Amino acid sequence: MYNIAIIEDERDAAQLIRSYLDEYSKSSGEQFTVYEFSNAVRFLENYTAKYDIVFMDIELPDMNGMEASRRLRMMDKDVILIFVTNMAQCAVSGYEVEAFSFIVKPATYNNFVMKLERALTRLKNSGDSAVYIRNKTFSKRVNTSDLKYVEIRSHNVIWHTVHGDINSTGTLKSIQAQLGSNFACCNQCYLVNLKFCSEVSGDCVKVGDETLHISRPKRAEFVRALNLYINGEN
């Protein structure tokens, strides 16, 4: 499932992109959740980094697509940005905001699919997934490869990443379901990214530069998961 944002003030143009996504979904089996915005200001206000691909028109009311893309990059450096425009000369300026590609209006289905499939290939080949961390004040997308471990204290959650700690709320069960098999519990408080485990000694595991306790009830399951990961079977 991919989250797609369409920022387009012309209703017919937005509907054309949506129809192409629907058609491609039926033929390929890929699933998309599509969000439409008629202007960039509404798209950027309370922005959450939940999108995989953004289709951005250049000529927009209130704020043009190039300025919107500059502001977008300040909040989200990873999202794939594709301009949909009748201003082909904007292609050069697109390098400034790391635009992935351009589609010149009116978009044809074949050209759209070619650009879409290239974007999907990049997403699939990135070798990384992301988790969305939310609290009362923000929503942040974190690559799971940057997440060392998750610490649970009642319903308070501390996400220990290579870039620092992030606080939120949640339950161990729901978080483990999001993160998948590369994460395992060493006790009821810690959900560990097996990628960062460098040593198991007695009832302790070294995760990055920290040492965490392995509880007796979780030890066999945790060591098994770690061995499967090391052997490439996870």
Side-chain angles (χ1 to χ4, degrees):
M1 176 70 74
Y2 298 96
N3 289 332
I4 309 291
I6 302 171
I7 300 86
E8 172 61 71
D9 62 319
E10 297 178 8
R11 182 64 178 167
D12 289 346
Q15 286 299 99
L16 183 63
I17 294 175
R18 181 184 280 273
S19 71
Y20 286 168
L21 288 168
D22 289 341
E23 185 174 348
Y24 183 75
S25 179
K26 291 175 184 176
S27 64
S28 68
E30 299 285 6
Q31 298 295 311
F32 305 107
T33 299
V34 181
Y35 303 82
E36 289 185 36
F37 301 88
S38 58
N39 65 74
V41 174
R42 191 164 67 87
F43 169 63
L44 292 173
E45 65 182 2
N46 302 316
Y47 179 84
T48 58
K50 67 180 181 180
Y51 305 106
D52 298 294
I53 303 173
V54 171
F55 291 97
M56 177 79 75
D57 186 20
I58 296 292
E59 295 182 287
L60 292 167
D62 301 324
M63 181 190 298
N64 66 53
M66 195 60 66
E67 177 60 27
S69 298
R70 293 188 188 100
R71 299 191 186 191
L72 172 63
R73 281 294 180 236
M74 294 173 66
M75 298 182 284
D76 190 342
K77 64 180 179 62
D78 297 318
V79 66
I80 290 180
L81 176 62
I82 298 177
F83 285 124
V84 184
T85 178
N86 52 21
M87 301 172 65
Q89 66 271 24
C90 287
V92 175
S93 301
Y95 290 108
E96 177 188 344
V97 292
E98 299 181 46
F100 178 77
S101 190
F102 291 79
I103 297 174
V104 177
K105 293 181 179 179
T108 65
Y109 179 71
N110 287 340
N111 186 47
F112 177 85
V113 166
M114 179 179 67
K115 305 294 177 65
L116 175 64
E117 287 185 333
R118 284 180 55 212
L120 295 177
T121 297
R122 172 177 285 190
L123 289 169
K124 292 172 182 177
N125 290 345
S126 66
D128 201 5
S129 58
V131 61
Y132 298 94
I133 303 174
R134 298 177 175 88
N135 62 27
K136 293 180 180 179
T137 59
F138 73 90
S139 176
K140 183 178 181 63
R141 181 173 64 186
V142 174
N143 291 334
T144 55
S145 62
D146 292 336
L147 181 58
K148 295 187 292 185
Y149 68 98
V150 181
E151 182 177 356
I152 312 293
R153 298 178 184 173
S154 298
H155 290 293
N156 296 314
V157 181
I158 304 173
W159 305 75
H160 297 271
T161 81
V162 295
H163 305 296
D165 297 345
I166 304 171
N167 294 295
S168 72
T169 59
T171 64
L172 181 64
K173 183 177 180 180
S174 63
I175 292 171
Q176 191 165 17
Q178 293 180 66
L179 295 178
S181 61
N182 286 350
F183 287 76
C185 292
C186 63
N187 61 49
Q188 64 181 1
C189 299
Y190 298 125
L191 182 60
V192 176
N193 187 344
L194 300 173
K195 165 187 171 181
F196 287 94
C197 295
S198 58
E199 181 183 348
V200 173
S201 178
D203 61 354
C204 294
V205 56
K206 190 170 184 180
V207 182
D209 56 359
E210 299 180 60
T211 300
L212 305 180
H213 175 68
I214 305 173
S215 68
R216 183 176 296 177
K218 294 290 186 181
R219 179 176 173 79
E221 180 184 351
F222 179 77
V223 171
R224 177 179 177 276
L226 182 57
N227 286 333
L228 287 173
Y229 177 82
I230 292 171
N231 293 324
E233 300 176 34
N234 217 353

